[in-house]
Amino acid sequence: MDKRQQGKRTSKDLQLDQFRTDDRNKKLTTNQGLKMAEDEHSLTAGERGPTLMEDFHFREKMTHFDHERIPERVVHARGFAAHGEFEAYQSMEKYTKAGFLSEKGKKTPVFVRFSTVVGQKGSTDIPRDVRGFATKFYTDEGNYDLVSNNMPIFFIQDGIKFPDLVHSIKPEPHNEIPQATGAHDTFWDFVINNQETANQVMWLMSPRALPRSFRMMEGFSINTFRFVNAEGKSRFVRFKWIPVLGLHSFEWDEAQKVSGNDPDFNRRDLWMNIEMGNYPEFELGVQIIEEKDEFKFDFDILDATKFWPEEEIPVKVIGKMTLNRNVDNYFSETEQVAFHPGHVVPGIDFSNDPLLQGRLFSYTDTQLIRLGGPNFHEIPINRPVCPFHNNQRDGYNRQTINVGKVAYNKNSLADGTPAPASEEEGGYVHYQEKVEGRKVRARSESFKDHFSQARMFWNSLADFEKNHIIEAFSFEVGKVNSQEIRQGVVDMFAKVDQGLMTAVAKKINANPPKESHVKYNKKSPAVSMSNTVRKPQTRRAGIIVGEGFDGNSLGDVLDKLKEAGITADFISERQGTIKGQDGYKAEANHTFTTTHAVLYDGIIIAGGTGENTAKFKRDASEFINDTFKHYKTIGVTAGGNDLFAQSMAKEGPGVIMESGRRDFGHALVDSFAQYKHHDRKF
Ligand code: HDD
């Protein structure tokens, strides 16, 4: 148990105690509890003879090992999770009777799993991909799952197309190449033949697809739900998680290098920060639309390929989630957690969003194969913290021992129990929406404008985001073999912006688009990352030090970094103590080979040289060049001027020279807070 958590343990944490076990300082036993005197040699006939069938210990150990893998999730296979707590800022009783939102200050334990979507379980953390952001609230009224992504829209409008989408973006089936990327023919073939994907693909090409940290990305329900209050009044609602540290992303070149240097970058970042007490925080926002306003907008509010512009439908911030505890065991918790958008509580109901309706079937179904049967709700991480009673029985790995002989409803032998609860007693009552119509396989006309909002997204972006999108299309579609598909992408996305696709066509050897974009001039500044929060806390600095580095200047800088919550690594040609001028010493915990510039939010060059000065300079230069190219902070102490001068970096935004300024430390902290300096020219 984490010491910091003692005294403020959540009901979920306490519940998990009964399942936790610590094997340290214990004798080794079989699963039957038999102590074993030997664990390294199988039982054989003679020292050089065959293994005997009766070796129950060998058989048990090997059988368990042979069966210790379960199918990975068909999507979102690679994930990382943490425990935490949600606190409501205010009562939302006017809108919903959900108990966990009913009073200011009410706290609810949560478990959050972040994920990539396409890659297999062992793939990198930083592909160009949507990120999953699934939260399980262990409320007093049962588990509520908010199963979100980090972008507010989806690729398709109807759940029935999900298998097609996923088949197209997963590795191609004949050779299982490529891994964790949409940069191949089948995905783009799907895109051009299913033009409802336009909006989501624009977001996927944007920097949002490369989050710097799980702690620095948003989360969106995407689907439209309902809030229902105690009077039975219903309103449409979408949910949004807002990261307190702001929204920050990698460049593509940076992401690829991070993937090579530390494919676990995002999970390590989350783990380390929770261990250090830098608890990630996210505010919960809701966008609410009155039923009478259902048709007020120029898009269909049930269409998951459309976001709800925040300028038209403001976000109301209603609470905050803090992630404050890492898991004890990855498999038991992170791998076995089972989310489902259909896990709702009274006061939260579904809309007719056809994507959501499809999801409501898929999630339980997938857990049945993944977790091996219908009793996955009994796995400790999935158990609600409130009691549960019904007549469901048996199935693989049943753990509950239901006493008594009655397992049916209605009955008189158990006095008619367990009996349904009335609404007043907290029973879930479905919202009585009036529905009528013919059974059809068709979509409403109001879902058919695929390009206006994609253009609105483009209209709203800053130059650095637009340039990122041009580069992303050029990379992704540049990997497509079929010339027809390349041309199809150019012609399709010209409807979003002709200039965008003229630039891309040139790079990928396609014909420039003939047609121009749709006429839609609206903007939604909220979708741009440019106005995000910028804070120095939890940024990481790499400090380049060689023998004889500029110790004097560094002392003050280190104090300032520490005060601002910035951590630092010393990097040199060898690990260990490096001596600077003025008797200053630095403990180099990394060399140029054990770390890389892309793993830092910025660097400080403190000068000095190595035993092989030429090599030291070359390695330092590479560090500086990458940091410069990725728009990150470069601090140069007076003693670091020489190393800086022989790199490709130039003075300008985010390059802080000590020479000639007194506020070097402060300026550095401000620059780290900015994170990226996209106005840098090179
Ligand atoms: Fe899904 C997993 C989010 C559409 C079917 N989905 C999954 C996870 C997240 C999302 C975050 C990982 C949960 C975890 O960490 O265990 N999915 C979304 C969002 C969607 C969406 C925000 C659009 C609004 N999903 C979607 C559709 C379908 C599915 C349309 C099928 C009709 N999703 C699944 C699944 C998964 C899943 C196959 C795989 C593993 C799992 O459920 O537990 O059922």
Side-chain angles (χ1 to χ4, degrees):
M1 178 69 216
D2 184 341
K3 286 201 180 60
R4 285 186 299 270
Q5 287 306 298
Q6 279 170 7
K8 49 172 180 167
R9 303 180 63 191
T10 66
S11 49
K12 184 64 192 176
D13 189 16
L14 292 167
Q15 183 198 50
L16 291 176
D17 272 351
Q18 60 187 303
F19 303 101
R20 290 187 171 114
T21 181
D22 187 347
D23 298 324
R24 284 174 298 184
N25 304 320
K26 309 284 173 7
K27 294 293 177 199
L28 180 90
T29 74
T30 65
N31 286 334
Q32 306 307 315
L34 174 70
K35 288 196 196 99
M36 288 304 298
E38 225 282 338
D39 185 42
E40 288 183 72
H41 299 100
S42 20
L43 188 68
T44 52
E47 286 182 2
R48 302 182 67 243
T51 303
L52 297 176
M53 187 69 172
E54 74 173 69
D55 186 352
F56 56 81
H57 178 49
F58 167 81
R59 278 189 282 116
E60 183 197 85
K61 185 174 174 182
M62 200 50 68
T63 305
H64 197 280
F65 171 75
D66 291 342
H67 293 254
E68 70 189 25
R69 284 289 165 272
I70 63 171
E72 65 174 35
R73 287 165 174 82
V74 57
V75 282
H76 297 265
R78 183 172 178 80
F80 206 67
H83 292 269
E85 209 164 25
F86 173 78
E87 182 170 352
Y89 281 162
Q90 63 191 93
S91 168
M92 288 295 286
E93 272 174 344
K94 178 178 168 202
Y95 303 100
T96 172
K97 56 186 171 180
F100 77 106
L101 299 175
S102 64
E103 60 184 275
K104 182 174 181 302
K106 171 126 183 121
K107 290 184 176 169
T108 304
V110 293
F111 187 65
V112 176
R113 184 174 179 272
F114 300 105
S115 49
T116 57
V117 180
V118 178
Q120 290 170 357
K121 197 166 172 298
S123 54
T124 174
D125 275 355
I126 347 274
R128 175 172 299 287
D129 197 359
V130 174
R131 299 298 186 280
F133 186 151
T135 307
K136 194 178 281 295
F137 295 80
Y138 301 97
T139 86
D140 304 337
E141 300 172 298
N143 291 347
Y144 168 57
D145 291 354
L146 182 49
V147 195
S148 321
N149 282 347
N150 74 329
M151 303 181 198
I153 65 273
F154 203 65
F155 293 93
I156 46 170
Q157 297 173 322
D158 188 323
I160 198 169
K161 293 177 82 157
F162 191 65
D164 302 295
L165 162 71
V166 176
H167 288 171
S168 80
I169 198 167
K170 282 273 184 182
E172 297 188 2
H174 58 306
N175 57 9
E176 219 194 31
I177 299 174
Q179 180 58 239
T181 173
H184 56 112
D185 285 50
T186 54
F187 175 61
W188 290 97
D189 189 27
F190 180 85
V191 168
I192 60 174
N193 284 293
N194 297 273
Q195 302 217 344
E196 69 205 58
T197 52
N199 203 2
Q200 169 76 88
V201 169
M202 288 298 294
W203 286 70
L204 184 64
M205 294 301 112
S206 82
R208 292 196 183 229
L210 307 172
R212 153 67 180 82
S213 165
F214 293 135
R215 303 175 294 125
M216 299 171 197
M217 63 183 205
E218 294 178 330
F220 300 88
S221 66
I222 304 176
N223 292 128
T224 303
F225 289 83
R226 285 176 183 277
F227 265 165
V228 185
N229 67 13
E231 286 76 53
K233 181 170 171 51
S234 153
R235 297 171 172 92
F236 295 104
V237 63
R238 284 192 180 184
F239 298 86
K240 175 180 182 184
W241 288 115
I242 305 157
V244 168
L245 290 175
L247 262 179
H248 302 287
S249 284
F250 287 119
E251 314 304 313
W252 177 233
D253 177 66
E254 195 180 11
Q256 286 183 295
K257 290 174 178 166
V258 174
S259 288
N261 281 284
D262 187 2
D264 303 311
F265 186 88
N266 280 353
R267 54 171 60 186
R268 193 189 304 284
D269 168 274
L270 190 69
W271 175 274
M272 274 174 31
N273 277 288
I274 292 177
E275 289 300 298
M276 290 190 294
N278 298 331
Y279 299 142
E281 293 174 322
F282 298 87
E283 289 192 307
L284 182 63
V286 288
Q287 288 176 289
I288 295 174
I289 294 180
E290 298 288 335
E291 276 201 328
K292 66 174 172 43
D293 295 334
E294 182 172 356
F295 302 107
K296 197 175 123 184
F297 304 92
D298 62 1
F299 56 90
D300 196 312
I301 65 163
L302 302 185
D303 178 355
T305 66
K306 306 294 181 309
F307 56 89
W308 290 4
E310 293 180 17
E311 295 73 12
E312 289 178 66
I313 307 140
V315 175
K316 185 180 178 67
V317 177
I318 63 171
K320 185 159 83 175
M321 171 170 80
T322 307
L323 301 181
N324 53 18
R325 193 164 61 77
N326 280 314
V327 298
D328 289 305
N329 184 285
Y330 182 89
F331 182 86
S332 302
E333 299 174 74
T334 311
E335 193 60 16
Q336 295 201 110
V337 66
F339 292 96
H340 182 12
H343 291 163
V344 287
V345 287
I348 301 181
D349 210 318
F350 314 114
S351 75
N352 295 329
D353 170 344
L355 192 80
L356 174 61
Q357 295 283 323
R359 294 180 78 194
L360 294 179
F361 168 74
S362 182
Y363 286 71
T364 305
D365 192 38
T366 207
Q367 313 309 347
L368 294 175
I369 178 87
R370 202 170 71 76
L371 299 171
N375 287 319
F376 60 85
H377 61 284
E378 294 187 333
I379 297 172
I381 194 66
N382 293 325
R383 282 173 184 256
V385 292
C386 61
F388 51 100
H389 302 283
N390 55 47
N391 293 315
Q392 294 165 31
R393 294 289 186 275
D394 310 346
Y396 283 112
N397 304 317
R398 181 71 172 179
Q399 307 199 12
T400 308
I401 303 172
N402 299 95
V403 298
K405 59 185 174 186
V406 174
Y408 51 87
N409 192 16
K410 298 173 177 177
N411 67 67
S412 48
L413 287 177
D415 297 329
T417 60
S422 67
E423 195 173 353
E424 293 68 38
E425 291 168 323
Y428 189 90
V429 178
H430 291 267
Y431 176 65
Q432 294 190 7
E433 182 185 357
K434 187 170 178 219
V435 181
E436 54 187 46
R438 290 167 180 273
K439 283 193 259 180
V440 287
R441 289 190 185 274
R443 186 67 52 235
S444 154
E445 277 300 313
S446 56
F447 278 58
K448 293 196 175 147
D449 172 5
H450 304 319
F451 291 96
S452 297
Q453 247 202 17
R455 178 150 181 81
M456 183 189 211
F457 177 63
W458 174 258
N459 290 342
S460 315
L461 299 181
D463 283 350
F464 81 89
E465 292 166 300
K466 289 185 170 174
N467 291 336
H468 186 112
I469 291 177
I470 295 172
E471 291 299 321
F473 268 108
S474 307
F475 175 88
E476 301 273 314
V477 189
K479 294 270 186 178
V480 167
N481 293 321
S482 157
Q483 194 59 36
E484 289 72 38
I485 296 175
R486 288 183 182 214
Q487 195 60 51
V489 174
V490 168
D491 295 340
M492 172 175 168
F493 285 90
K495 294 182 200 157
V496 177
D497 190 74
Q498 191 183 22
L500 159 68
M501 277 302 140
T502 306
V504 173
K506 199 168 163 190
K507 290 201 173 209
I508 63 167
N509 193 25
N511 294 322
K514 290 202 187 80
E515 286 178 43
S516 186
H517 38 254
V518 293
K519 302 276 168 284
Y520 198 81
N521 297 326
K522 276 195 197 170
K523 288 185 182 180
S524 168
V527 300
S528 169
M529 292 173 62
S530 56
N531 300 320
T532 194
V533 174
R534 296 171 201 276
K535 297 181 176 191
Q537 285 88 0
T538 82
R539 300 251 193 268
R540 295 185 71 205
I543 306 181
I544 300 178
V545 286
E547 300 293 347
F549 69 89
D550 185 355
N552 205 10
S553 308
L554 211 53
D556 173 57
V557 167
L558 288 175
D559 290 344
K560 295 277 181 317
L561 295 186
K562 202 168 171 197
E563 273 166 34
I566 300 173
T567 53
D569 275 349
F570 286 100
I571 303 145
S572 193
E573 62 168 351
R574 61 176 176 81
Q575 292 177 342
T577 309
I578 309 290
K579 288 193 186 135
Q581 292 163 7
D582 313 312
Y584 196 88
K585 287 180 188 164
E587 281 304 311
N589 47 345
H590 275 295
T591 63
F592 292 113
T593 48
T594 63
T595 192
H596 195 283
V598 293
L599 306 180
Y600 299 98
D601 298 312
I603 59 168
I604 297 165
I605 311 164
T609 57
E611 279 169 18
N612 176 346
T613 305
K615 179 164 184 335
F616 181 85
K617 282 188 175 170
R618 222 171 34 241
D619 288 345
S621 262
E622 265 180 40
F623 239 78
I624 301 167
N625 292 348
D626 264 335
T627 308
F628 187 72
K629 199 160 107 183
H630 301 143
Y631 307 99
K632 294 185 292 199
T633 294
I634 299 179
V636 189
T637 69
N641 283 340
D642 287 351
L643 280 181
F644 177 75
Q646 40 111 44
S647 72
M648 68 165 252
K650 301 276 172 300
E651 287 190 44
V655 176
I656 316 293
M657 311 295 292
E658 182 188 20
S659 306
R661 71 187 305 164
R662 292 167 140 242
D663 61 343
F664 182 52
H666 277 126
L668 262 178
V669 168
D670 287 348
S671 182
F672 268 97
Q674 284 297 311
Y675 180 41
K676 294 285 171 111
H677 301 270
H678 284 112
D679 48 348
R680 181 177 291 166
K681 299 274 180 294
F682 55 95

